[in-house]
Structures are given as C-alpha cells and as structure tokens.
C-alpha cells in the first residue's frame, strides 16, 4: 500500500511574522483521499502506523502567492530543449537579481507542448526547508500548488480553491487571485469556478506525476547511501559462513594428517613386529631397528651408504683421486682426496653436503704438487 501526506507550506510572509497558521493537509492512500484538514491533525496522519512494505512519502505544496507559474510553448523544440529555453526566458523576464531567484522548469511530455516554469526565491526555499526541518520532515518533492489546477478552455479562466488559496488559472499562467487584478488579467474572458471534484482529481494526478519539483538545482537533496537491511543480514551470514569454512579447512586437514600419521606409525610398529622388534610406538621401533642394524654392520651406518655417496660425488669431478679410505663403527667415513686444484676437491665436498651429509675437511699439500685434503663424512645425515 502506498500512502502520501500532502502538506501545504505556509506563505513566506507568514513565516517571517512568526505566526504561521496550521497548514492545510490531506492524506492519500492508494490514490484515494482518506483524510484532510486545516489543523495539526497532519501529525497523527503522518505518524499513523502502516505495514512494513508501505511506500510512504511526503509531498509539500508551495503557495501560489510565492510561486506563480507560467507555461511557455516552443513548437519546434524537443521536450528537453523546451524545458531549457523556458527556464532561460523566465529568468530574463523576472525582476530582481538573478542570483537570488530559484527558477525551475518542467519537461513537456511531447514535443510542441508548453513547458511549465516556476519562479521563486532562494530565501523562500530556505524558509520552507527550515520550517520542514524543524518538524523533522523530509519531503519527497515540493510542488507549486498552482500546478495542480488544470488548464481551462481557451475562452475562459478557472478559479479554484487549493489549500487556503484561491488560484486563478489561464491557458498560460497560474497565480493567486486578486479581486482588483483578476478582471484586468482576464480581459474579456470569464472567470468560472472549478468544480471541487474535478479539482480533486487534478490534484491526485499532479501528485502521481508532478510536472516540476522545486527540489532541483541547488535545492536537490543530496543522495544518501543506505544499505538494504536484508542485504546486510545476507552479507553477515556469508561472512560467518566464510569464517567457519576457513577454520574448518585447517582443522580437517590436521585431523586427516594426524589420522594418516597414526596409520603410518601403526604400519611401522607392525613391520617391526614382523622383524622381531616389539616397541610401543614407531619412534621406539625405528631406534631399535637402527641399533640392530648398526650391531650387524648394516643400515644407514654401514660402509656402503656414505661410500656410495662419495663415489657419486667424485664421478662429477674426474680430476679428484681417492688416496685412503677407512670406516668406523659409528658410521663415520674417513678418506684422503687429491686433485690438481682445490676447487675440484671443494666440488666433491659440496656434492656430499647437498646430499645431507656432515663433512669436515683438512687441506694439505701433496709431495707431487697436488692439492690434498683429509675428509670425514658422517654416514648418518
């Protein structure tokens, strides 16, 4: 359901005196006027509770005494061009400093139609916006009240009561009525009263499709960015879900790793049991197997393991010769290497270190001019 509160703004002169009467108002629900008055009843009408999906809005009507209207026609111009031209021509025809005037033109629906243009002052706009702000009101639009009066037939003028004003409407003007000036402006045309029901229908059409809005130009409200509460709730839920997933991934990975490690340890203990080693866990089983292999001269402490690594390292350094070679029961391999250059011996040492062995070297000079070094290689990396 859509609800609209229409509030007539007080004249600027009444605001200046500080004794503005209660504004005229009416409430429209779904295109039907359901309440109206010329008192402070608009407060209850605006604060009336609605459903959560109601589209409520406030529209203020500016008095014709402060905002007269003209309709300017440019038959050869497009609607946007007619609107711009009407604003410029109205500003040229207005009295006073242009910087103090607030001129707003509406865009015709079709080419050739007259463009409505309203002229007021920035001082009036300031007075009205301050009056609204003092009541914590933020209108969706401020429409000249004279814009609601429909155009008359070419040979007459309408006189209609809108709010507390009597407004006269000709084919190209709308202004507040003045008993002395009306006959002069009408000339030989008759001024006929507009039927109240027809005026009410015209007002509803104006509210549905305002021909122009004084909240434009320098008075156009700044856009305030607001987030949809439903969207905020969705983002929060997605953030929580992302956080939960981010925490679950490492937890699940750690659980699977722990389970795989447990299975591997169980397999080691089972294999050690087949070899005749009884141990409570994989670490104890591995230590016992290494001890038995060392006692038997095998395993990683055996001579063949570091010796094989040494021969592989020497294969890439053809100039290096093996002079002596010995092996201790703790797995340490001792050798003497000779080469024409120290760089060749260093190449072998670096290759052994790259395999993860601990290497120490003591260089010395050979009797035949070659470079030599006593090397010790730890069999266990």
């Amino acid at each position: 359901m859509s609800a609209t509160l229409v509030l007539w703004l007080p004249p600027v002169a009444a605001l200046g005196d500080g004794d503005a009467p209660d504004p005229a108002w009416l409430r429209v629900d779904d295109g039907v006027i359901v309440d109206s008055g010329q008192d402070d009843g608009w407060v209850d009408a605006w604060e009336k509770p609605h459903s959560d999906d109601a589209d409520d809005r406030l529209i203020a009507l500016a008095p014709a005494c402060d905002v007269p209207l003209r309709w300017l026609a440019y038959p050869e111009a497009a609607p946007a061009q007619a609107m711009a031209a009407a604003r410029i021509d109205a500003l040229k025809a207005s009295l006073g400093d242009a910087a103090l005037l607030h001129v707003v033109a509406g865009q015709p629906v079709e080419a050739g139609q007259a463009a409505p243009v309203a002229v007021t002052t920035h001082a009036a706009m300031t007075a009205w916006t301050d009056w609204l702000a003092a009541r914590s009101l933020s209108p969706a639009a401020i429409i000249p009240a004279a814009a609601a009066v429909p155009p008359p037939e070419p040979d007459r003028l309408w006189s209609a009561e809108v709010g507390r004003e009597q407004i006269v409407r000709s084919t190209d003007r709308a202004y507040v009525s003045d008993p002395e000036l009306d006959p002069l402006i009408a000339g030989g045309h008759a001024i006929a009263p507009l039927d109240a029901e027809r005026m009410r229908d015209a007002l509803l059409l104006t509210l549905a499709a305002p021909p122009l809005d004084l909240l434009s130009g320098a008075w156009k409200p700044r856009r305030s960015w607001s987030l949809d509460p439903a969207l905020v709730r969705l983002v929060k839920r997605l953030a929580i879900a992302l956080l939960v997933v981010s925490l679950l991934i490492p937890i699940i990975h750690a659980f699977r790793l722990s389970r795989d490690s447990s299975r591997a340890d169980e397999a080691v203990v089972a294999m050690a049991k087949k070899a005749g080693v009884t141990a409570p866990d994989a670490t104890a089983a591995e230590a016992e197997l290494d001890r038995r292999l060392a006692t038997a001269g095998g395993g990683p402490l055996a001579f063949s393991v570091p010796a094989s690594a040494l021969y592989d390292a020497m294969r890439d350094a053809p100039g290096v010769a093996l002079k002596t070679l010995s092996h201790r029961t703790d797995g340490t391999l001792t050798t003497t290497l000779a080469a024409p250059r120290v760089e060749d011996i260093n190449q072998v040492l670096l290759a052994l270190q790259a395999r993860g062995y601990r290497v120490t070297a003591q260089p010395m000079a050979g009797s035949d001019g070659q470079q030599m070094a006593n090397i010790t290689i730890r069999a266990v990396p």
Side-chain angles (χ1 to χ4, degrees), residues 313 317 320 337 339 341-353 359 361 363 373 375:
V320 178
L337 301 180
R341 301 181 307 165
V342 176
E343 289 78 4
D344 297 331
I345 297 176
N346 289 338
Q347 182 179 350
V348 176
L349 301 180
L350 293 174
L352 290 169
Q353 290 176 348
V359 180
I375 310 297

PDB file of all heavy atoms in Angstrom, residues 313 317 320 337 339 341-353 359 361 363 373 375:
ATOM      1  N   ALA A 313      79.720 -38.469  -5.841  1.00  0.00           N
ATOM      2  CA  ALA A 313      80.205 -37.096  -5.866  1.00  0.00           C
ATOM      3  C   ALA A 313      81.495 -36.984  -6.687  1.00  0.00           C
ATOM      4  O   ALA A 313      81.714 -36.003  -7.398  1.00  0.00           O
ATOM      5  CB  ALA A 313      80.425 -36.588  -4.452  1.00  0.00           C
ATOM      6  N   ALA A 317      83.535 -35.078 -10.676  1.00  0.00           N
ATOM      7  CA  ALA A 317      84.828 -34.369 -10.596  1.00  0.00           C
ATOM      8  C   ALA A 317      85.939 -35.334 -11.031  1.00  0.00           C
ATOM      9  O   ALA A 317      86.598 -35.975 -10.189  1.00  0.00           O
ATOM     10  CB  ALA A 317      85.057 -33.858  -9.187  1.00  0.00           C
ATOM     11  N   VAL A 320      89.615 -35.653  -9.346  1.00  0.00           N
ATOM     12  CA  VAL A 320      89.809 -35.987  -7.936  1.00  0.00           C
ATOM     13  C   VAL A 320      90.149 -37.480  -7.824  1.00  0.00           C
ATOM     14  O   VAL A 320      89.477 -38.345  -8.420  1.00  0.00           O
ATOM     15  CB  VAL A 320      88.550 -35.650  -7.114  1.00  0.00           C
ATOM     16  CG1 VAL A 320      88.761 -36.045  -5.656  1.00  0.00           C
ATOM     17  CG2 VAL A 320      88.226 -34.164  -7.226  1.00  0.00           C
ATOM     18  N   LEU A 337      91.567 -37.187  -0.207  1.00  0.00           N
ATOM     19  CA  LEU A 337      91.337 -36.886  -1.619  1.00  0.00           C
ATOM     20  C   LEU A 337      92.478 -36.036  -2.146  1.00  0.00           C
ATOM     21  O   LEU A 337      93.021 -35.186  -1.430  1.00  0.00           O
ATOM     22  CB  LEU A 337      90.016 -36.148  -1.807  1.00  0.00           C
ATOM     23  CG  LEU A 337      88.748 -36.871  -1.331  1.00  0.00           C
ATOM     24  CD1 LEU A 337      87.529 -36.005  -1.576  1.00  0.00           C
ATOM     25  CD2 LEU A 337      88.591 -38.216  -2.010  1.00  0.00           C
ATOM     26  N   ALA A 339      93.740 -33.765  -5.798  1.00  0.00           N
ATOM     27  CA  ALA A 339      93.298 -33.186  -7.068  1.00  0.00           C
ATOM     28  C   ALA A 339      94.268 -32.091  -7.469  1.00  0.00           C
ATOM     29  O   ALA A 339      94.971 -31.522  -6.626  1.00  0.00           O
ATOM     30  CB  ALA A 339      91.895 -32.618  -6.938  1.00  0.00           C
ATOM     31  N   ARG A 341      93.579 -29.152  -8.329  1.00  0.00           N
ATOM     32  CA  ARG A 341      93.114 -27.848  -7.808  1.00  0.00           C
ATOM     33  C   ARG A 341      92.253 -28.059  -6.572  1.00  0.00           C
ATOM     34  O   ARG A 341      91.569 -29.090  -6.434  1.00  0.00           O
ATOM     35  CB  ARG A 341      92.305 -27.100  -8.860  1.00  0.00           C
ATOM     36  CG  ARG A 341      93.048 -26.812 -10.153  1.00  0.00           C
ATOM     37  CD  ARG A 341      92.146 -26.051 -11.114  1.00  0.00           C
ATOM     38  NE  ARG A 341      90.860 -26.757 -11.294  1.00  0.00           N
ATOM     39  CZ  ARG A 341      89.785 -26.197 -11.836  1.00  0.00           C
ATOM     40  NH1 ARG A 341      89.844 -24.927 -12.237  1.00  0.00           N
ATOM     41  NH2 ARG A 341      88.679 -26.905 -11.983  1.00  0.00           N
ATOM     42  N   VAL A 342      92.287 -27.076  -5.711  1.00  0.00           N
ATOM     43  CA  VAL A 342      91.427 -27.125  -4.522  1.00  0.00           C
ATOM     44  C   VAL A 342      89.959 -27.079  -4.923  1.00  0.00           C
ATOM     45  O   VAL A 342      89.092 -27.691  -4.272  1.00  0.00           O
ATOM     46  CB  VAL A 342      91.778 -25.960  -3.574  1.00  0.00           C
ATOM     47  CG1 VAL A 342      90.831 -25.937  -2.368  1.00  0.00           C
ATOM     48  CG2 VAL A 342      93.227 -26.054  -3.114  1.00  0.00           C
ATOM     49  N   GLU A 343      89.627 -26.382  -6.013  1.00  0.00           N
ATOM     50  CA  GLU A 343      88.236 -26.255  -6.448  1.00  0.00           C
ATOM     51  C   GLU A 343      87.635 -27.612  -6.771  1.00  0.00           C
ATOM     52  O   GLU A 343      86.427 -27.846  -6.553  1.00  0.00           O
ATOM     53  CB  GLU A 343      88.134 -25.339  -7.669  1.00  0.00           C
ATOM     54  CG  GLU A 343      88.382 -23.866  -7.384  1.00  0.00           C
ATOM     55  CD  GLU A 343      89.877 -23.548  -7.239  1.00  0.00           C
ATOM     56  OE1 GLU A 343      90.696 -24.470  -7.443  1.00  0.00           O
ATOM     57  OE2 GLU A 343      90.200 -22.397  -6.911  1.00  0.00           O
ATOM     58  N   ASP A 344      88.464 -28.562  -7.280  1.00  0.00           N
ATOM     59  CA  ASP A 344      87.929 -29.884  -7.599  1.00  0.00           C
ATOM     60  C   ASP A 344      87.514 -30.624  -6.335  1.00  0.00           C
ATOM     61  O   ASP A 344      86.476 -31.306  -6.300  1.00  0.00           O
ATOM     62  CB  ASP A 344      88.981 -30.688  -8.371  1.00  0.00           C
ATOM     63  CG  ASP A 344      89.325 -30.043  -9.709  1.00  0.00           C
ATOM     64  OD1 ASP A 344      88.433 -29.366 -10.264  1.00  0.00           O
ATOM     65  OD2 ASP A 344      90.465 -30.205 -10.192  1.00  0.00           O
ATOM     66  N   ILE A 345      88.355 -30.510  -5.300  1.00  0.00           N
ATOM     67  CA  ILE A 345      88.007 -31.153  -4.017  1.00  0.00           C
ATOM     68  C   ILE A 345      86.752 -30.501  -3.424  1.00  0.00           C
ATOM     69  O   ILE A 345      85.869 -31.183  -2.890  1.00  0.00           O
ATOM     70  CB  ILE A 345      89.198 -31.066  -3.052  1.00  0.00           C
ATOM     71  CG1 ILE A 345      90.395 -31.847  -3.618  1.00  0.00           C
ATOM     72  CG2 ILE A 345      88.813 -31.608  -1.679  1.00  0.00           C
ATOM     73  CD1 ILE A 345      91.646 -31.752  -2.786  1.00  0.00           C
ATOM     74  N   ASN A 346      86.689 -29.172  -3.502  1.00  0.00           N
ATOM     75  CA  ASN A 346      85.507 -28.473  -2.969  1.00  0.00           C
ATOM     76  C   ASN A 346      84.230 -28.909  -3.677  1.00  0.00           C
ATOM     77  O   ASN A 346      83.149 -28.949  -3.079  1.00  0.00           O
ATOM     78  CB  ASN A 346      85.689 -26.962  -3.114  1.00  0.00           C
ATOM     79  CG  ASN A 346      86.741 -26.431  -2.157  1.00  0.00           C
ATOM     80  OD1 ASN A 346      87.051 -27.064  -1.129  1.00  0.00           O
ATOM     81  ND2 ASN A 346      87.307 -25.269  -2.471  1.00  0.00           N
ATOM     82  N   GLN A 347      84.332 -29.228  -4.976  1.00  0.00           N
ATOM     83  CA  GLN A 347      83.166 -29.684  -5.724  1.00  0.00           C
ATOM     84  C   GLN A 347      82.607 -30.972  -5.127  1.00  0.00           C
ATOM     85  O   GLN A 347      81.398 -31.151  -4.998  1.00  0.00           O
ATOM     86  CB  GLN A 347      83.544 -29.894  -7.197  1.00  0.00           C
ATOM     87  CG  GLN A 347      82.365 -30.322  -8.067  1.00  0.00           C
ATOM     88  CD  GLN A 347      82.760 -30.489  -9.526  1.00  0.00           C
ATOM     89  OE1 GLN A 347      83.868 -30.110  -9.929  1.00  0.00           O
ATOM     90  NE2 GLN A 347      81.884 -31.068 -10.317  1.00  0.00           N
ATOM     91  N   VAL A 348      83.528 -31.899  -4.745  1.00  0.00           N
ATOM     92  CA  VAL A 348      83.097 -33.148  -4.124  1.00  0.00           C
ATOM     93  C   VAL A 348      82.465 -32.877  -2.762  1.00  0.00           C
ATOM     94  O   VAL A 348      81.425 -33.448  -2.402  1.00  0.00           O
ATOM     95  CB  VAL A 348      84.294 -34.111  -4.002  1.00  0.00           C
ATOM     96  CG1 VAL A 348      83.877 -35.380  -3.252  1.00  0.00           C
ATOM     97  CG2 VAL A 348      84.847 -34.464  -5.377  1.00  0.00           C
ATOM     98  N   LEU A 349      83.079 -31.994  -1.971  1.00  0.00           N
ATOM     99  CA  LEU A 349      82.547 -31.681  -0.643  1.00  0.00           C
ATOM    100  C   LEU A 349      81.147 -31.068  -0.730  1.00  0.00           C
ATOM    101  O   LEU A 349      80.251 -31.410   0.062  1.00  0.00           O
ATOM    102  CB  LEU A 349      83.498 -30.736   0.091  1.00  0.00           C
ATOM    103  CG  LEU A 349      84.941 -31.247   0.300  1.00  0.00           C
ATOM    104  CD1 LEU A 349      85.754 -30.205   1.052  1.00  0.00           C
ATOM    105  CD2 LEU A 349      84.942 -32.571   1.033  1.00  0.00           C
ATOM    106  N   LEU A 350      80.965 -30.166  -1.686  1.00  0.00           N
ATOM    107  CA  LEU A 350      79.648 -29.530  -1.836  1.00  0.00           C
ATOM    108  C   LEU A 350      78.590 -30.542  -2.257  1.00  0.00           C
ATOM    109  O   LEU A 350      77.429 -30.474  -1.823  1.00  0.00           O
ATOM    110  CB  LEU A 350      79.729 -28.389  -2.855  1.00  0.00           C
ATOM    111  CG  LEU A 350      80.572 -27.183  -2.424  1.00  0.00           C
ATOM    112  CD1 LEU A 350      80.700 -26.180  -3.571  1.00  0.00           C
ATOM    113  CD2 LEU A 350      79.945 -26.499  -1.212  1.00  0.00           C
ATOM    114  N   ALA A 351      78.983 -31.483  -3.109  1.00  0.00           N
ATOM    115  CA  ALA A 351      78.029 -32.509  -3.539  1.00  0.00           C
ATOM    116  C   ALA A 351      77.611 -33.385  -2.368  1.00  0.00           C
ATOM    117  O   ALA A 351      76.433 -33.760  -2.234  1.00  0.00           O
ATOM    118  CB  ALA A 351      78.653 -33.351  -4.650  1.00  0.00           C
ATOM    119  N   LEU A 352      78.557 -33.720  -1.472  1.00  0.00           N
ATOM    120  CA  LEU A 352      78.216 -34.515  -0.291  1.00  0.00           C
ATOM    121  C   LEU A 352      77.300 -33.745   0.655  1.00  0.00           C
ATOM    122  O   LEU A 352      76.339 -34.283   1.220  1.00  0.00           O
ATOM    123  CB  LEU A 352      79.493 -34.943   0.432  1.00  0.00           C
ATOM    124  CG  LEU A 352      80.348 -36.001  -0.295  1.00  0.00           C
ATOM    125  CD1 LEU A 352      81.701 -36.137   0.395  1.00  0.00           C
ATOM    126  CD2 LEU A 352      79.619 -37.337  -0.334  1.00  0.00           C
ATOM    127  N   GLN A 353      77.599 -32.469   0.841  1.00  0.00           N
ATOM    128  CA  GLN A 353      76.750 -31.639   1.709  1.00  0.00           C
ATOM    129  C   GLN A 353      75.337 -31.499   1.137  1.00  0.00           C
ATOM    130  O   GLN A 353      74.361 -31.454   1.880  1.00  0.00           O
ATOM    131  CB  GLN A 353      77.390 -30.266   1.898  1.00  0.00           C
ATOM    132  CG  GLN A 353      78.655 -30.303   2.755  1.00  0.00           C
ATOM    133  CD  GLN A 353      79.306 -28.931   2.844  1.00  0.00           C
ATOM    134  OE1 GLN A 353      78.959 -28.019   2.111  1.00  0.00           O
ATOM    135  NE2 GLN A 353      80.268 -28.805   3.751  1.00  0.00           N
ATOM    136  N   VAL A 359      80.240 -32.926   6.583  1.00  0.00           N
ATOM    137  CA  VAL A 359      81.579 -33.118   6.011  1.00  0.00           C
ATOM    138  C   VAL A 359      82.539 -32.152   6.672  1.00  0.00           C
ATOM    139  O   VAL A 359      82.230 -30.960   6.818  1.00  0.00           O
ATOM    140  CB  VAL A 359      81.562 -32.898   4.489  1.00  0.00           C
ATOM    141  CG1 VAL A 359      82.964 -33.110   3.915  1.00  0.00           C
ATOM    142  CG2 VAL A 359      80.570 -33.840   3.822  1.00  0.00           C
ATOM    143  N   ALA A 361      86.827 -31.084   6.449  1.00  0.00           N
ATOM    144  CA  ALA A 361      87.997 -31.237   5.570  1.00  0.00           C
ATOM    145  C   ALA A 361      89.198 -30.524   6.163  1.00  0.00           C
ATOM    146  O   ALA A 361      89.066 -29.418   6.701  1.00  0.00           O
ATOM    147  CB  ALA A 361      87.679 -30.691   4.184  1.00  0.00           C
ATOM    148  N   PRO A 363      92.759 -29.385   4.656  1.00  0.00           N
ATOM    149  CA  PRO A 363      93.610 -29.339   3.460  1.00  0.00           C
ATOM    150  C   PRO A 363      95.093 -29.493   3.822  1.00  0.00           C
ATOM    151  O   PRO A 363      95.528 -29.150   4.924  1.00  0.00           O
ATOM    152  CB  PRO A 363      93.310 -27.962   2.888  1.00  0.00           C
ATOM    153  CG  PRO A 363      92.876 -27.138   4.052  1.00  0.00           C
ATOM    154  CD  PRO A 363      92.171 -28.087   4.999  1.00  0.00           C
ATOM    155  N   ALA A 373      93.403 -33.320   0.805  1.00  0.00           N
ATOM    156  CA  ALA A 373      92.574 -32.973   1.964  1.00  0.00           C
ATOM    157  C   ALA A 373      92.139 -34.248   2.645  1.00  0.00           C
ATOM    158  O   ALA A 373      91.747 -35.230   1.989  1.00  0.00           O
ATOM    159  CB  ALA A 373      91.361 -32.163   1.547  1.00  0.00           C
ATOM    160  N   ILE A 375      89.363 -35.952   4.690  1.00  0.00           N
ATOM    161  CA  ILE A 375      87.927 -35.718   4.751  1.00  0.00           C
ATOM    162  C   ILE A 375      87.282 -36.715   5.696  1.00  0.00           C
ATOM    163  O   ILE A 375      87.632 -37.911   5.703  1.00  0.00           O
ATOM    164  CB  ILE A 375      87.279 -35.882   3.346  1.00  0.00           C
ATOM    165  CG1 ILE A 375      88.050 -35.061   2.309  1.00  0.00           C
ATOM    166  CG2 ILE A 375      85.818 -35.474   3.375  1.00  0.00           C
ATOM    167  CD1 ILE A 375      88.049 -33.577   2.542  1.00  0.00           C
TER     168      ILE A 375
END
